[in-house]
Amino acid sequence: MMKRRNFLQLTGSSLAALGMSHLDIINQGNHYAKVLAKNAPRKLALLVGITEYPTKHKRITSELRGCVNDVRMQQELLIHRFGFDPENIVALHSEQKQAKFQPTRNNILFYFEKHLIEKAEPGSVVVFHFSGHGSQLLDPEPIANCSNEELTFTNLNSSLVVLDDSRNNLAPDIMGRTLFLLRLELQRKTKNVIMVLDCCYSGGGTRGNTIIRSASSDIPAKEEINYQEDLMRKLGIDKNQLYKLRCQGNTGIVVASAKGHQLAGDYPFETDFNAGAFTYLLTQYLWQKTNTIANTILEIQNLFRQGISRQTPIIDGDKNKPFYFIDNPSFISTDGIITKIEGKNISLWLGGIDYQNLPSIQNQATFAIVDSQQQTLAKLKLISRKGLVAKAQIVENYANTSIKSGMFIQEVSRIIPANLKLNIGLGPSLTKDIGDAREKISKINRMEAIPAQADTLYSKKVEYILGRMTKENRKKQTNREDLPDIDTIGLFSESLEFIPGSFGKQGESIADAISRLKPKLISFLAMHLLKQTLNVNSSKLDVEASISLLEQPNTIIAKAQTQTSRAKGNQTQINETYSRVLPLNKLFQIEIKNNTDENLYVIVILIDVTGKPYLVYPYQNTIKSKTLQIKPNEPPLIVGNPGQIELKAVEKGSAEALIVTSRSELKNAAKMLQQLVRETRGGGRGEANNPIDISRGEPVAVIDDLLDDLSGSRGGSNQPREVKAENIATLSMSFEVG
């Protein structure tokens, strides 16, 4: 079978991007994007997204849900963050009414030639984005792989599955070789070509609550082979020359959402909002930061470690170029823009919101309209939201600012929902036990059990899936060690990756399994609640945190800092990246810096590879608000000092550190933490390798008290809590142990 690397070499340096028609694009771009566009090379984009394929399409095992959303995300990003003129973006997607904007094979190739190739000029930036199913077609004339060793051949060529249905068992897909030839034509005009492919070429169907963007293999239609031959004649090259050109290296860029053997997920970020896992993370990151392609993809790989999907985005081409070839664009970090004004109602696009915070961006959440210096001009309050589209009304307007489409917005406060629940999917593998499992899970406070539907998907977004390890589920585990035994009961992620440490013994009853898993589920709920406060992009507190080895304190493994910290320097600075790999059995430390001019209060929690949370600061037996305090203008707080508490990772996998800092004294949380310390430490100082395990107490009560402190309310879990960006900073650092 053809490896992914060969596909990347074949497609070269185009970018596959999905988009919408001119009628769908906002007519009034923001002021900063217009300034950026002046005196700049022409920027052209062709965006393609296919959510609904023909129902009779024999090669499609499951309909997608998020590809048109990918198009919209890319469209808004290119216009408002990278200065693309809406008139220079063509979008073809499956919800288009007009036939000429349907993502058929002929339309895609027509606009590639007429909109991208013919309009490109020297220095132009050209973007091609594709979201939809991928496949592999039998290649009638396979080309040798590029290698310094003996040449090998492959009879499969990766392809993009278009809207057209197969005819006479021949697929109308656009093959990788075709994209490579089109890229060669583009390179006669410009070298600034980037292709983003959010699809995959293995798997298919569903994985838990995630739909896989892949169709079965087939034979290419003759029109595809003829089209390739026409392109080669136009370029004046033969098969041997094509091989040489392919192996010379690329001047453009290909960004693929997953390796060839991995699955690209169509992910349910909310119950009614799907998107490409990769496209969402990419666009959200680029709303907040500017970076090189290599560093951007590295950061997205780190985000995937948090559990969305076990896929690894890869790059072919010059990784050190700025993303979309726009060097140091003059934009500020932002959570979104104003898209339309209708009387008192204002429409918003929330492209910069972290997916983990979406449940808390609801009615009564507030945003500031800011200028290029991040000064607040007015304040908005949300009245509704669906996906990334929201409605708001002005609640304050300073100096009677004229509100216009395209203005940037930044989060001021969010609303932690009352009784936010942890949704647990019940996998079909539970068979006759599903009813009992539903009853027992629903008796756990703030848990909801959701059975799978006929197509194995779920009616709501689920955080975890309870199921049996079957032979089929075992085959779906990617590069995992120590797989649980067949017919054991445990927890899976949404994409059916097993949760380490959650599976019991063979023959265990469903009642015993849920009883055993209850402490873990409660801990997962506590972390789900706590992560609603994550706000590295919106916090107004100047805070930094980093992880390093105790023996190499100057070598940073992972780092997090608020946008406030970055804003002190160059707003368009290229951000540093770190390995995010922590060696096994090595002592490490967490350093926290308070760069404000006031006292802050801090709590640090580590989440190990099994998802188990540990309280590592404060570590004293007697806890008062003062012991949580870090003062300004003093050396950083070091968590992991020998003689206090020693931190060491002893199991391979993905882990995370959460640092909560606040202006408030955390009085209620301190009392509950003190109680937990006594319960888990027996009243004495803990052993060096035994951090406080909050899952042995009542972690939800701890988080409830913490949320009360952070919001300044005392309503408890029965009332929503408003958490303000000016009062807290919650940072996350994910890393790999191994």
Side-chain angles (χ1 to χ4, degrees):
M1 293 182 66
M2 188 174 188
K3 296 180 180 179
R4 182 61 173 220
R5 175 66 182 172
N6 298 329
F7 176 73
L8 292 178
Q9 288 175 330
L10 196 61
T11 55
S13 57
S14 308
L15 160 65
L18 304 180
M20 303 174 75
S21 79
H22 299 291
L23 297 177
D24 296 319
I25 296 173
I26 300 166
N27 292 323
Q28 298 183 33
N30 68 67
H31 170 72
Y32 309 109
K34 289 180 178 179
V35 171
L36 181 61
K38 287 183 178 179
N39 302 318
R42 174 177 284 182
K43 305 180 186 76
L44 302 168
L46 173 59
L47 312 176
V48 182
I50 310 176
T51 293
E52 296 181 9
Y53 285 81
T55 54
K56 61 180 180 179
H57 210 303
K58 297 178 181 179
R59 297 162 59 211
I60 305 300
T61 58
S62 55
E63 287 295 337
L64 301 177
R65 297 181 179 180
C67 297
V68 176
N69 288 332
D70 288 3
V71 167
R72 181 77 188 278
M73 288 189 291
Q74 283 281 293
Q75 157 201 306
E76 302 287 4
L77 179 76
L78 292 176
I79 294 171
H80 298 289
R81 301 271 61 183
F82 292 92
F84 278 61
D85 187 329
E87 294 299 319
N88 286 330
I89 298 177
V90 169
L92 311 177
H93 65 81
S94 52
E95 292 182 9
Q96 290 281 22
K97 303 294 185 184
Q98 295 178 280
K100 66 178 181 179
F101 291 125
Q102 288 282 307
T104 62
R105 167 189 163 79
N106 286 341
N107 282 348
I108 294 170
L109 294 176
F110 172 82
Y111 285 109
F112 202 110
E113 291 185 17
K114 299 298 181 182
H115 180 65
L116 299 184
I117 295 174
E118 291 189 9
K119 292 183 179 180
E121 302 168 342
S124 290
V125 173
V126 178
V127 174
F128 175 67
H129 180 115
F130 179 87
S131 283
H133 281 302
S135 185
Q136 290 182 319
L137 302 184
L138 294 172
D139 195 335
E141 291 189 85
I143 295 178
N145 295 328
C146 298
S147 173
N148 293 326
E149 302 174 1
E150 183 179 355
L151 296 181
T152 57
F153 289 78
T154 175
N155 63 350
L156 290 175
N157 191 269
S158 298
S159 66
L160 308 180
V161 182
V162 297
L163 191 66
D164 313 62
D165 196 6
S166 297
R167 299 185 299 277
N168 301 320
N169 294 321
L170 299 178
D173 299 13
I174 298 174
M175 296 170 67
R177 184 177 303 157
T178 299
L179 294 177
F180 178 75
L181 292 167
L182 289 169
R183 192 269 302 173
L184 287 180
E185 272 206 82
L186 264 174
Q187 285 184 323
R188 291 179 170 183
K189 297 281 194 71
T190 179
K191 305 300 183 185
N192 299 328
V193 181
I194 184 167
M195 175 183 228
V196 176
L197 303 171
D198 199 345
C199 53
C200 62
Y201 306 94
S202 62
T206 61
R207 288 285 302 273
N209 211 24
T210 302
I211 306 171
I212 305 307
R213 293 181 169 185
S214 178
S216 59
S217 300
D218 211 330
I219 300 172
K222 186 168 181 58
E223 61 185 306
E224 174 72 354
I225 304 303
N226 292 340
Y227 186 74
Q228 292 175 8
E229 292 173 351
D230 289 342
L231 286 173
M232 291 174 68
R233 281 193 292 270
K234 188 175 181 180
L235 290 164
I237 60 174
D238 57 24
K239 182 179 176 181
N240 291 330
Q241 290 170 311
L242 174 61
Y243 167 76
K244 291 179 181 179
L245 288 168
R246 191 187 68 175
C247 296
Q248 285 176 356
N250 301 311
T251 56
I253 314 293
V254 174
V255 178
S257 64
K259 293 181 178 179
H261 66 278
Q262 294 177 334
L263 307 177
D266 194 283
Y267 186 79
F269 287 95
E270 289 188 293
T271 296
D272 296 319
F273 175 63
N274 274 53
F278 172 73
T279 299
Y280 186 101
L281 294 180
L282 173 67
T283 53
Q284 190 271 328
Y285 180 89
L286 292 174
W287 273 87
Q288 299 289 354
K289 304 176 183 73
T290 175
N291 217 327
T292 63
I293 295 173
N295 287 350
T296 299
I297 297 306
L298 180 60
E299 289 299 313
I300 292 171
Q301 289 174 358
N302 292 328
L303 291 172
F304 274 124
R305 290 188 180 127
Q306 296 176 0
I308 291 183
S309 175
R310 293 189 69 85
Q311 61 189 78
T312 305
I314 53 177
I315 313 164
D316 187 62
D318 188 350
K319 302 177 182 180
N320 295 316
K321 295 283 189 180
F323 224 102
Y324 299 132
F325 306 100
I326 310 298
D327 194 12
N328 292 333
S330 57
F331 60 68
I332 61 174
S333 171
T334 179
D335 296 310
I337 55 161
I338 294 174
T339 58
K340 188 185 296 183
I341 301 171
E342 296 176 312
K344 293 182 178 181
N345 292 332
I346 296 176
S347 298
L348 308 177
W349 176 258
L350 303 176
I353 296 293
D354 188 315
Y355 76 94
Q356 296 184 92
N357 298 148
L358 285 173
S360 298
I361 306 301
Q362 55 174 267
N363 292 2
Q364 305 303 307
T366 55
F367 288 82
I369 302 173
V370 298
D371 62 16
S372 60
Q373 303 302 313
Q374 304 196 56
Q375 299 298 311
T376 299
L377 304 175
K379 194 172 289 186
L380 303 170
K381 184 163 287 189
L382 259 58
I383 56 177
S384 68
R385 180 185 64 80
K386 183 176 181 180
L388 300 182
V389 178
K391 299 287 186 183
Q393 291 184 343
I394 297 175
V395 292
E396 292 183 77
N397 190 340
Y398 308 101
N400 293 319
T401 301
S402 177
I403 309 301
K404 298 178 180 178
S405 297
M407 284 183 161
F408 289 150
I409 60 172
Q410 293 180 340
E411 180 191 339
V412 173
S413 71
R414 65 184 61 158
I415 305 296
I416 311 295
N419 291 316
L420 182 66
K421 293 184 177 181
L422 192 74
N423 292 335
I424 307 298
L426 303 179
S429 59
L430 294 178
T431 57
K432 61 183 177 59
D433 292 323
I434 286 180
D436 288 342
R438 186 174 192 177
E439 179 185 355
K440 288 177 171 58
I441 287 178
S442 297
K443 287 181 179 179
I444 304 174
N445 189 30
R446 292 165 142 185
M447 301 277 171
E448 183 172 355
I450 303 171
Q453 298 175 316
D455 58 1
T456 73
L457 296 175
Y458 296 85
S459 60
K460 293 183 180 180
K461 174 176 171 56
V462 297
E463 278 70 46
Y464 298 95
I465 295 172
L466 178 70
R468 282 189 172 86
M469 181 60 75
T470 62
K471 289 182 180 180
E472 182 182 356
N473 285 341
R474 228 171 185 261
K475 291 178 182 178
K476 293 178 179 179
Q477 306 308 311
T478 55
N479 300 322
R480 304 298 295 269
E481 300 175 356
D482 302 323
L483 291 175
D485 293 332
I486 298 295
D487 203 33
T488 55
I489 299 174
L491 295 170
F492 298 86
S493 70
E494 282 187 88
S495 54
L496 275 188
E497 296 287 345
F498 82 94
I499 305 299
S502 69
F503 283 79
K505 297 179 180 179
Q506 290 179 329
E508 182 181 36
S509 70
I510 191 67
D512 288 344
I514 293 173
S515 177
R516 172 179 57 82
L517 289 169
K518 182 177 177 180
K520 184 178 285 289
L521 290 172
I522 291 173
S523 292
F524 288 169
L525 171 61
M527 294 305 100
H528 183 55
L529 292 171
L530 181 58
K531 287 186 177 184
Q532 295 307 305
T533 69
L534 286 171
N535 64 346
V536 66
N537 293 320
S538 60
S539 174
K540 303 305 179 185
L541 297 185
D542 191 346
V543 176
E544 298 178 55
S546 62
I547 298 175
S548 61
L549 293 178
L550 198 65
E551 62 188 39
Q552 296 176 300
N554 295 324
T555 302
I556 297 176
I557 291 170
K559 186 173 183 179
Q561 60 186 117
T562 60
Q563 290 285 8
T564 304
S565 296
R566 287 190 288 270
K568 291 168 63 178
N570 182 358
Q571 290 180 352
T572 60
Q573 68 184 19
I574 297 296
N575 298 289
E576 296 178 278
T577 57
Y578 305 94
S579 70
R580 304 282 184 121
V581 178
L582 181 68
L584 272 172
N585 299 311
K586 289 283 189 180
L587 293 177
F588 66 95
Q589 62 185 17
I590 300 173
E591 180 179 297
I592 304 164
K593 295 176 68 175
N594 175 8
N595 297 323
T596 71
D597 57 2
E598 58 189 296
N599 293 333
L600 297 180
Y601 300 83
V602 63
I603 291 173
V604 182
I605 292 172
L606 279 176
I607 303 174
D608 72 9
V609 298
T610 71
K612 190 175 186 178
Y614 293 82
L615 177 69
V616 296
Y617 188 86
Y619 40 75
Q620 294 93 341
N621 182 35
T622 301
I623 296 174
K624 298 179 181 179
S625 291
K626 199 169 184 178
T627 64
L628 307 179
Q629 192 177 94
I630 51 175
K631 297 181 179 180
N633 304 315
E634 289 191 0
L637 169 67
I638 305 294
V639 179
N641 274 328
Q644 294 177 329
I645 186 170
E646 293 184 349
L647 306 179
K648 183 192 296 184
V650 296
E651 188 175 356
K652 291 183 178 180
S654 298
E656 186 177 8
L658 294 175
I659 296 95
V660 184
T661 59
S662 171
R663 282 193 168 104
S664 65
E665 295 186 17
L666 307 181
K667 292 180 179 179
N668 277 15
K671 291 178 183 177
M672 181 60 75
L673 290 170
Q674 182 176 349
Q675 179 182 337
L676 285 182
V677 170
R678 290 172 178 167
E679 290 177 4
T680 58
R681 297 292 184 98
R685 172 171 288 187
E687 298 297 327
N689 61 352
N690 183 29
I692 302 167
D693 178 359
I694 69 173
S695 69
R696 291 176 59 185
E698 179 53 65
V700 175
V702 175
I703 302 305
D704 274 338
D705 281 333
L706 180 58
L707 293 177
D708 281 347
D709 285 336
L710 296 176
S711 65
S713 68
R714 292 292 175 264
S717 60
N718 294 323
Q719 297 294 325
R721 301 172 178 90
E722 182 179 27
V723 177
K724 296 182 178 180
E726 64 184 13
N727 291 333
I728 73 165
T730 302
L731 312 181
S732 168
M733 291 182 287
S734 59
F735 53 94
E736 200 75 17
V737 178

